[in-house]
Amino acid sequence: MDCFAENFVRYVDGLEMLPRSMATRTALSSPASQRVVIDFNYEVEPLPGRYPLPGIGPFALLQESEMNHWGKIMFRWMYWNILLKGQELPLPARMSMSGKWHR
């Protein structure tokens, strides 16, 4: 949402919108109650690594893990109890290359 408000005003004023550099993080279901977490944006493809603490995690990017599954369950609670109330998550909206393993 950081970029949306500013770009919306720019769009209404007929100005060019700022480039999108926001990250997308999502958990994809996999067998055995595990999830695969991906983190990417418009310039960088999904890369393996650890999120949110570089090298530590606890979430594994592009790998199945039970921790990813529990993270998805916890995010459901945060969605209903934090985001829908208009509060912000304590995580940066912009993608960081820290913790990513370059191919």
Side-chain angles (χ1 to χ4, degrees):
M1 289 297 279
D2 295 4
C3 184
F4 172 77
E6 187 173 353
N7 269 342
F8 182 75
V9 171
R10 292 177 67 86
Y11 175 78
V12 170
D13 291 342
L15 300 172
E16 186 174 326
M17 292 189 289
L18 300 173
R20 296 180 253 182
S21 61
M22 307 302 277
T24 297
R25 286 170 209 96
T26 191
L28 307 172
S29 295
S30 66
S33 294
Q34 296 195 7
R35 301 275 198 264
V36 176
V37 175
I38 59 175
D39 182 22
F40 62 97
N41 66 18
Y42 290 95
E43 289 85 33
V44 179
E45 66 181 294
L47 295 169
R50 297 284 177 194
Y51 176 82
L53 302 173
I56 298 171
F59 304 112
L61 299 173
L62 292 181
Q63 298 175 17
E64 291 181 323
S65 81
E66 189 171 348
M67 182 57 77
N68 290 347
H69 170 72
W70 290 109
K72 175 66 175 180
I73 289 172
M74 192 60 203
F75 181 76
R76 187 178 305 147
W77 181 89
M78 292 188 306
Y79 177 80
W80 289 105
N81 295 283
I82 297 174
L83 293 176
L84 285 182
K85 292 179 180 178
Q87 299 170 349
E88 293 196 23
L89 293 178
L91 299 169
R94 301 208 183 280
M95 182 175 167
S96 169
M97 292 304 290
S98 297
K100 309 286 189 306
W101 303 327
H102 304 280
R103 299 180 196 188

